[in-house]
Amino acid sequence: MIREGVLPPVDQAPLKKKTAVSSSWILMDHNGHTTLLDVDKYVIMRRVQIHARDLRILDPMLSYPSTILGREKVIVLNLEHIKAIITAEEVLLRDPLDDNVIPIVEQLQRRLVPDNPISKGQGEEDDHPGVRNDFDTGEENEFPFEFRALEVALEAICSFLDARTRELETDTYPALDELTTKISSRNLDRVRKLKSAMTRLTNRVQKVRDELEQLLDDDDDMADLYLSRKLAVASSPVSDSVVPNWFHNSPTIGSKISRTTSRASAATIQEENDVEELEMLLEAYFMQIDGTLNKLTTLREYIDDTEDYINIQLDNYRNQLIQLELFLSSGTVCLSVYSLVAAIFGMNIPYTWKTEHGYVFKWVVIITGIVCASLFSIITFYARHKGLVGS
C-alpha cells in the first residue's frame, strides 16, 4: 500500500504505533514531496535497482557496521539509526516514524528543495558544448541532490553522537569526582556502568570515523558517489555513433565535430577525476566526528587517571593496615619475652638467689623492659628500611 502526501506532524499518536514497522519507508524527491511506503524489500530492489546483499545492510535485525556504499545508481547509507538509499533524484529512508529518525525526515524536507530550480536547465540550450555547461552550471549554482541528502545524514549522525558524548561527560565527571572523595560500593558501581557506556559509545563513534576515513583515502570510492555526474555522462549526446555519416565527408564540419567531441571528452574525464567537492564535504564531518572521538579519548584518560588515584589510595590504606599489624606483632613478641621471664621465675626450682635477694626482681624487670624495647626498635627499623611502613 502506498500513501502519498506530506509526512504528518510528529506529535500525533497514530505515528508512534508504526514505529516498529520494519518495512516502512518514506520517499522524498528533489522537490521535497514525500510519500510513505509500506512495501517489502523486493519492491525496493526493483525500484532502485540494487542487489539483495546491499539492501541487507539496512536490515535493522542484522548487525552491520556503519557503511557508505556507492553503487551504479544509488548510495547505500547505514549510519547507526539512519538507514537510507539515495539516488540522483530521490531518497528512501527506512523507519521514518522512529523517534530518532523523525528529526532527520524534517531536515530532509526542509533542505532537499533546491534554492534556484530555474538554473537547472540553463546548459541544455547549446549543442555539443552543452555537456560541459551542464556540469559547470550544476556545480556552480546547485549542490548535487545526492550530496545534499548525504550532508543531512552526516550532520544528523555527527550531531547525535556528539550529543550522546556531552551527556556522558555531564554524568561521568561528577561521578568520578565523587568517587575520589568517597570510595564506596555505590560510587564504584556507578563509575563501572558509565565506563561501559563510554566504551560502547566509543566503538560507535570509531566505526563512523573509520568509514569516513576509508572513503576519503580512496578517490574511486568518492567518485562512485557522484550519481548526478554519472547520470549526465550516461545521457550525454556526445558520441561518434550519433554523428551522421555525411558530417565526416565535410572537412570543416568534421573537424569542428572532432574538436567539440575531444573537448567534451576531456571535460568529462576531468569531471570524473574531480572529487574535491565531495572531499571537502566529507572532511568537514570527519573533523567533527574526530573531535567527538577525542572527547571520548580524553574522558577515558580521565577515568584511567581516577582509577590510578583510587589504586594509590587503596595501596596507602593497605600499607597502613600492614603497619598496624606489624606494630601489634612486635608488641606480642615483647609480651612474649615478659611471659618467658615470668615463667622462668615461676618454676618450683630452688635457687640460691631467691632468698634474701629481693632487689633482683627490680633488675630483672628493668633488663627485660630494655630487651623488649630494643627488640621493638629493631623490628620497626627493619620494616622501614624494607619499605613495609611509612617513615
Side-chain angles (χ1 to χ4, degrees):
M1 185 177 71
I2 301 177
R3 301 189 300 274
E4 296 185 356
V6 181
L7 187 67
V10 178
D11 55 353
Q12 292 185 0
L15 295 183
K16 295 185 178 180
K17 295 181 180 179
K18 297 183 72 60
T19 302
V21 179
S22 60
S23 60
S24 179
W25 297 78
I26 185 170
L27 172 66
M28 282 170 283
D29 57 16
H30 60 280
N31 293 322
H33 299 156
T34 61
T35 304
L36 287 175
L37 306 175
D38 289 332
V39 295
D40 56 14
K41 62 180 181 180
Y42 300 103
V43 176
I44 300 297
M45 291 167 54
R46 288 193 299 268
R47 183 182 184 90
V48 298
Q49 299 180 8
I50 62 173
H51 296 288
R53 64 174 181 271
D54 295 332
L55 188 60
R56 197 175 296 117
I57 297 175
L58 306 181
D59 193 346
M61 304 301 295
L62 303 177
S63 179
Y64 278 93
S66 297
T67 307
I68 302 176
L69 291 179
R71 292 298 183 249
E72 182 64 26
K73 296 181 180 180
V74 299
I75 298 174
V76 182
L77 197 65
N78 179 27
L79 297 175
E80 295 287 329
H81 54 274
I82 305 175
K83 303 179 185 299
I85 300 175
I86 303 174
T87 69
E89 297 179 349
E90 60 186 19
V91 178
L92 280 165
L93 187 63
R94 186 158 194 165
D95 297 335
L97 305 179
D98 186 85
D99 293 336
N100 294 323
V101 182
I102 288 177
I104 304 171
V105 176
E106 296 174 351
Q107 287 287 335
L108 288 172
Q109 288 178 335
R110 186 172 66 253
R111 296 172 58 177
L112 287 186
V113 180
D115 296 333
N116 188 14
I118 299 177
S119 62
K120 183 177 180 181
Q122 288 180 352
E124 297 178 357
E125 297 178 357
D126 299 333
D127 295 333
H128 295 293
V131 177
R132 184 174 181 179
N133 293 335
D134 284 341
F135 287 133
D136 295 340
T137 303
E139 290 181 352
E140 292 174 0
N141 298 335
E142 183 182 349
F143 208 45
F145 174 83
E146 63 271 18
F147 291 169
R148 283 186 281 133
L150 180 62
E151 183 179 11
V152 172
L154 291 176
E155 181 180 352
I157 192 61
C158 291
S159 301
F160 176 80
L161 294 176
D162 187 65
R164 301 289 84 77
T165 301
R166 289 197 301 269
E167 292 177 0
L168 186 62
E169 288 178 334
T170 304
D171 296 335
T172 302
Y173 284 117
L176 293 175
D177 295 338
E178 185 178 356
L179 180 62
T180 55
T181 304
K182 180 182 179 181
I183 302 176
S184 62
S185 300
R186 174 180 173 274
N187 292 335
L188 287 173
D189 185 66
R190 182 184 177 189
V191 172
R192 179 188 62 82
K193 294 179 180 178
L194 290 173
K195 186 176 180 180
S196 300
M198 184 206 63
T199 302
R200 292 192 298 268
L201 183 58
T202 301
N203 293 333
R204 295 163 61 187
V205 174
Q206 185 68 49
K207 290 177 182 178
V208 177
R209 181 190 179 278
D210 292 343
E211 180 63 24
L212 291 178
E213 184 179 14
Q214 182 179 359
L215 198 59
L216 285 169
D217 290 340
D218 195 333
D219 291 345
D220 294 335
D221 290 343
M222 286 191 288
D224 290 338
L225 302 183
Y226 279 81
L227 303 181
S228 299
R229 177 188 298 175
K230 290 190 291 186
L231 183 62
V233 171
S235 60
S236 173
V238 180
S239 177
D240 290 339
S241 59
V242 300
V243 178
N245 293 329
W246 57 271
F247 274 9
H248 296 283
N249 297 327
S250 176
T252 305
I253 298 178
S255 60
K256 290 182 179 180
I257 292 296
S258 300
R259 289 194 300 268
T260 303
T261 304
S262 61
R263 285 197 300 267
S265 301
T268 301
I269 295 173
Q270 182 179 3
E271 290 290 341
E272 290 178 352
N273 295 330
D274 184 17
V275 294
E276 183 179 359
E277 188 178 26
L278 178 59
E279 186 175 4
M280 290 188 296
L281 173 64
L282 295 178
E283 281 181 352
Y285 292 101
F286 175 79
M287 296 300 295
Q288 183 176 352
I289 199 68
D290 188 62
T292 303
L293 184 61
N294 290 335
K295 290 181 182 179
L296 292 171
T297 303
T298 304
L299 183 60
R300 175 178 290 277
E301 292 176 354
Y302 191 82
I303 292 178
D304 293 339
D305 294 341
T306 303
E307 289 179 349
D308 294 339
Y309 177 75
I310 297 301
N311 291 331
I312 292 174
Q313 282 188 328
L314 294 177
D315 291 340
N316 186 31
Y317 295 152
R318 190 179 300 110
N319 290 337
Q320 291 178 359
L321 292 175
I322 293 174
Q323 183 179 1
L324 177 61
E325 182 182 3
L326 182 60
F327 287 157
L328 293 176
S329 300
S330 301
T332 303
V333 171
C334 296
L335 292 177
S336 300
V337 174
Y338 271 104
S339 300
L340 176 63
V341 174
I344 293 174
F345 281 95
M347 292 181 181
N348 193 13
I349 299 176
Y351 291 103
T352 57
W353 44 269
K354 278 188 176 182
T355 59
E356 298 179 357
H357 295 86
Y359 64 90
V360 175
F361 176 77
K362 178 178 66 176
W363 286 107
V364 168
V365 172
I366 293 174
I367 293 173
T368 304
I370 293 174
V371 171
C372 291
S374 301
L375 184 63
F376 182 81
S377 299
I378 291 173
I379 294 175
T380 304
F381 176 78
Y382 178 80
R384 290 179 178 176
H385 180 70
K386 294 296 183 180
L388 298 178
V389 297
S391 57

